[in-house]
Amino acid sequence: MEIHHCENPVCRFVTRHAVPDICPLCGGAFFLPSDGSDLVAADWVALGVESKADGRFDDAFADFEKAAAEGDAAGQCMLGLAYETGEGVAQSWPDAVLLYRAAAGQGNAQAQCNLGWCYEFGKGVELDEPRAVELYRAAAEQGLPRAQCCLGYCTEKGIGTEADPEAAVEWYRRSAEGGYSRGMYNYACCFENGTGVKKDLALAQQWYERAAKEGLPDAMYELGVWYEDGRCGPKDTAQALAWYKKAAETGHDRARKAVERMEKLV
């Protein structure tokens, strides 16, 4: 597939898709073909992300490999993710860890978070929960919502660090406000159960709804339970069934069973 990039030397828009009428980054209207020799590491990462989104995993792997070969942290991280998931290459935790470690050493937040997950669950490395927390914290302090959620969970449960529910809630809040659906869900759980914060069912429902609208199956299921039981207002079986069905469509087993149970009562 032919590569084109924006003619504007300051703009780094690059694509293998059909050339757009207007550059989505700078608004320019002229594009040049490229054989790849004039591209920098960031361009290969952008092309890799595009290829991955298109499901062209072999192309994505090759693009990320080019960026990683130049020592680019984002390229190393994305190449590590390809090895983790087995997209475009045989799955390999050791190779994923090697690349995450290289990118994390350059301060890449996503790589720090991914490497932390490897240490937390012993994937490609010996299980080391305190090290996982260190890496989550490094990424969380850079503002990465997923890392903030992971750090919040470890802090809530006392995984690799002393349990501190109040501190966990603060990390969940940052993650939730940063748009991370699991952070929203965990934040809602804290309000529902009074974990590290005053119990507030109305706020819990609001955050469950936000997580559900972001597509998180657990949140969809939880909303179904709330509407069915009337936990924060009148019972609403129609709404409950609708949320159960949405969760069930993603493969959520408890939601599927709830749908079967409710439909038998109709």
Side-chain angles (χ1 to χ4, degrees), residues 16-17 101 117 125 163 168 197 214:
R16 288 194 180 94
H17 290 169
R101 187 174 285 125
W117 192 91
V125 291
V197 69
E214 288 292 323

Side-chain angles (χ1 to χ4, degrees), residues 29-246:
F30 297 99
F31 300 86
L32 300 174
S34 171
D35 63 1
S37 61
D38 56 341
L39 301 185
V40 299
D43 297 328
W44 289 114
V45 171
L47 286 171
V49 170
E50 179 184 87
S51 297
K52 179 180 171 70
D54 291 343
R56 294 183 286 104
F57 300 121
D58 289 346
D59 287 340
F61 181 84
D63 294 335
F64 295 141
E65 195 171 38
K66 289 183 177 70
E70 295 183 30
D72 182 79
Q76 292 167 339
C77 181
M78 294 304 294
L79 190 63
L81 184 60
Y83 275 109
E84 175 182 333
T85 60
E87 292 179 345
V89 67
Q91 199 281 336
S92 171
W93 283 110
D95 285 320
V97 167
L98 183 68
L99 287 155
Y100 287 153
R101 187 174 285 125
Q106 297 189 62
N108 183 276
Q110 186 62 60
Q112 290 169 339
C113 185
N114 292 0
L115 185 59
W117 192 91
C118 292
Y119 275 109
E120 183 181 356
F121 295 98
K123 298 293 186 178
V125 291
E126 185 176 346
L127 188 147
D128 187 337
E129 292 173 344
R131 178 59 177 150
V133 169
E134 289 177 8
L135 288 160
Y136 287 149
R137 189 177 302 279
E141 289 176 349
Q142 291 193 65
L144 187 69
R146 178 183 170 227
Q148 291 166 341
C149 181
C150 292
L151 181 58
Y153 186 80
C154 289
T155 304
E156 178 189 356
K157 304 298 183 182
I159 298 171
T161 187
E162 184 176 349
D164 185 340
E166 289 78 13
V169 169
E170 175 59 18
W171 285 116
Y172 287 149
R173 181 191 66 78
R174 296 186 192 185
S175 177
E177 293 180 353
Y180 189 60
S181 61
R182 179 59 64 177
M184 296 174 189
Y185 179 87
N186 290 358
Y187 195 39
C189 289
C190 290
F191 281 114
E192 178 182 3
N193 300 311
T195 302
V197 69
K198 184 178 179 181
K199 190 171 183 177
D200 189 326
L201 296 184
L203 277 176
Q205 185 175 13
Q206 288 177 27
W207 283 105
Y208 281 137
E209 287 178 347
R210 289 185 62 172
K213 289 174 182 177
E214 288 292 323
L216 187 70
D218 284 343
M220 296 174 188
Y221 172 77
E222 194 64 32
L223 274 182
V225 172
W226 277 55
Y227 279 113
E228 184 177 8
D229 293 348
R231 294 188 183 180
C232 193
K235 293 182 180 182
D236 189 332
T237 55
Q239 278 274 43
L241 183 58
W243 281 113
Y244 284 147
K245 284 183 175 180
K246 287 183 180 181

